[in-house]
Amino acid sequence: MPSIQEQIDALRTQIRHHNHLYYVLDDPQIPDAEYDRLFRELQALELAHPECITADSPTQRVGGAALSEFGSVRHELPMLSLANVFSEEELNNFDRRIHERLKDETELEYVAEPKLDGLAISLLYENGVFVRAATRGDGETGEDVTANVRTIQSIPLRLLGNDYPARLEVRGEIYMPKAGFNKLNQRLAAEGGKTFANPRNAAAGSLRQLDPRLTAQRPLEMFCYALGIAEGGKLPDQHYAVLQQFKAWGLRVCPDIKVVQGAKACMVYFHEIGAKRARLPYDIDGVVYKVNALKIQQELGFVSRAPRWAIAHKFPAQEEMTELEAVEFQVGRTGALTPVARLKPVFVGGVTVSNATLHNMDEIERKDVRVGDFVIVRRAGDVIPEVARVVLEKRPATVQVISMPAQCPVCGSEVKRSEEGAVARCTGGLYCPAQVKEAIKHFASRRAMNIDGLGDKLVEQFFEQGLIRHVDDLYRLTKEQLVALERMGDKSAENILAALETSKTTTLERFIYSLGIRDVGESTAKALARHFGSLEALQAANEETLKLVPDVGPISAMSITQFFKEAHNTKTISNLRELGVQWANYEAKPVEALPLAGKTYVITGTLSRSREAIKADLENLGAKVSNSVSKKTTALIAGAEAGSKLEKAESLGVSILDEAELAELLVMPKEL
Ligand code: I6G
C-alpha cells in the first residue's frame, strides 16, 4: 500500500498531466467526471493531511484573502519594450542596421510572432515551482500579481519534466481571448454592470483585482515569449528552440509563430497575419521579429532600453467616420485652450470614441473642420484619438465655423492669442479654477512629485470640497478631512497621507518640473537642475544666463524669470520646503562640459518622436540644433520621407543618422 504522501504525489502528477492536456494543449483525454473524481480524491487526502499541502498542488490555485494593495517587485533584469516600425522601408532599415553592425551580409533568420494586445508579465519558477508573477510596470519595478496569476489554469504551478534551470523567469503576455471577452461582457451586461471596451482593458482589469477569487472567474490566458533570468541549467542557443523548450515545460506558446529567412519573408509573414487578424482568437496590434540565434542577439545587445535584435511591426492606425457634434474648449494648466471634438460615438480600433483632440485653432483651420461635418477619427495604439480630416463630399449645408471663445469657458477671463498665434490662453491665472486644478494635478503626477494614488479624480474631489487651493495645501491635508469625503475609507486615507509623506523626498529636476513653469518640460527641468545645481541658483538666474542652458530659448528663459518674479510662487516654494519637501543639490555643470558641446545637428523627415523632444535631448547633452544643413553640420538626423535636407547633406558629405543611430548617440554621445 503506497504511503499517503505517495498517493498524493501520484494524484498531483496525474492531475497536472490532465490539466496540461486540457488547458494548454486543448486535447483532453479523460471525461470531465473522471478528472473531477481525481481532483476530489486529492482534496480529500489534503483535507485529512493538511501537513502535506504545498503551494504547487493543483488544489491551491485560488486561496487567501483579498489584498489591500499589490506589493512591488523589482525586476532583476529590466523588462524592456520593443522599438516599432510601421513600414517595409523601416523594417528594411532595421535589418540593414543589424547587418552593418555584424559586418555580415548573410541573410538573417528571424522568429516572427504575433504581437498580442495584452499585458506583459514575468513568471518566476524556483526549482520548477511557480513562486511569483509581476507586471512590467515601468520596466524596473512592477506589481506583484502572484495570487491572481495562480488562478490562471493554463499557467503551470509546477513545470513539467525536470530539466529546467533552478531559477527560471519566463516572460510573456497575459490576454483575454476574444470569445471569453464577449461572454464576459454579455454576463456583465446581464448583471447590469459596466462592460469592458476591449479585451486588453478586460485583461488588465481582471488582473488588477485585489480579490483573486474575482480574477479566477475571468477567462485569462498567457502566451510565453521570452526568457528572463535563467540560473543553473542549460538552454538551447536559438530563440525558437527556447520557445519549444517552454512548451515541453508545460507553458503556453503562441501557435502562430514561424521561423523565416530575411526581411522579405518577415514582410510576407506580416501580410499573412494581417489577413487572418480578424479570425485569430486573440487581439493583436502587430507582429514581432526576433533574430533567432541567441549568440547574435547577445552580440547586438540593447539600445535605449530596447533590444537591437527585435522589432515590433505595428499595423497601421485605425480610422472610422463619424459626425462632429460640437467643439468644446478645455483649459489646461498654463491656461491654454485646447479644442476638443465631441463626436457621435464611433467604434475605432477596439474602443468607443466620443471625444477627440483637434489640437489647436491652426489645425482646425488647416483641416477646415466645422461643426456638423463628417470627420475621420484616427486612433493608433494608446495615443489620444484625433480628428484626421473632414469628408468634404459629405459636408451638410448647415455646418458652422469654429471660433475661439473671447472669454474663458471656465472663469470668464479674457482669452488672448500668443504672439506666434497658435495658442490661445485664458488670462485668469490663479483666478481660473481650471488652471489651478490642472496645476495641482500636474504637481501630483507620476513624473512630477509622484504622489502615489493621488490621481486626477481625487484632486478634483479635494478641490471641489475646498480642501486645497494651492499645491502646498496637499501637505496640510489631515486624516479627519480625508475620511470625511465620500467613498474614502480609513485605509485609503492613510495610504494617501503616506504617499504624500514619501513624495516629500524628491529630486531637484522633479521639483522644478512639478512647479509647472510654462515651457519647462521634463527635459528642460533636468537641464536646469544639472546646470544650476540648486533651486537658489536657478531663482537667481537672469534671462541671459538662462539662455546658456541647453534646451532653454528666449521664450522659456522669459517664462522662468517671470515665474520666480511672482511673489505667490516663491511663497508657495518656501511653504513647500517648510512642510518638508526636500532634495539633494548637484554640483553645477556648465554647457562646455557636456558631451555634445560644440556639435550641431539638423533634424528632418518623419521620426517616431516629435522634433521638439529630439531637439531637447540633443540640447541637454550640449549640442545645438539648427534648421539648415551646412558644411558645419555635425550630422543630419533623417527619418522617413526626408527630402531636400537629405540631398544637401549627401552632397556636402555630412554624416546621416537614422533613428537607431540617434538613439545610440543619445545613450553614448562620446563614442560617435
Ligand atoms: O512587448 C513585447 C511583445 C512581444 C516584447 C516581446 C514580444 O515578443 C513576442 N519580446 C521582447 C523580447 C520584449 N517585448 C522585450
Side-chain angles (χ1 to χ4, degrees), residues 20-57:
H20 181 238
L21 289 170
Y22 185 92
Y23 291 110
V24 179
L25 303 181
D26 199 12
D27 182 23
Q29 288 179 2
I30 55 170
D32 286 0
E34 174 63 8
Y35 176 88
D36 289 345
R37 192 191 62 70
L38 291 171
F39 199 88
R40 278 199 304 271
E41 198 179 326
L42 175 61
Q43 274 180 322
L45 279 173
E46 287 182 344
L47 190 67
H49 302 277
E51 71 285 1
C52 296
I53 299 178
T54 54
D56 63 339
S57 172

Side-chain angles (χ1 to χ4, degrees), residues 558-577:
M558 197 166 70
S559 302
I560 296 165
T561 50
Q562 272 180 355
F563 181 89
F564 289 116
K565 258 189 224 144
E566 298 274 0
H568 61 85
N569 288 334
T570 45
K571 179 75 187 131
T572 303
I573 292 172
S574 60
N575 286 347
L576 286 167
R577 294 184 108 166

Side-chain angles (χ1 to χ4, degrees), residues 185-261:
N185 262 359
Q186 275 165 15
R187 176 164 66 93
L188 292 175
E191 290 165 359
K194 242 183 104 186
T195 54
F196 289 103
N198 54 46
R200 191 190 179 284
N201 288 4
S206 302
L207 203 65
R208 296 205 77 264
Q209 294 287 342
L210 289 167
D211 186 347
R213 282 167 300 195
L214 293 176
T215 309
Q217 293 167 19
R218 300 287 170 83
L220 295 175
E221 292 288 1
M222 178 167 181
F223 279 142
C224 298
Y225 58 59
L227 203 57
I229 311 159
E231 291 166 6
K234 243 184 95 53
L235 284 158
D237 58 5
Q238 301 221 312
H239 173 59
Y240 190 73
V242 170
L243 297 179
Q244 303 315 306
Q245 182 63 76
F246 284 172
K247 282 205 235 171
W249 288 329
L251 296 158
R252 276 181 92 239
V253 171
C254 176
D256 299 292
I257 297 177
K258 260 191 184 172
V259 176
V260 299
Q261 311 297 328

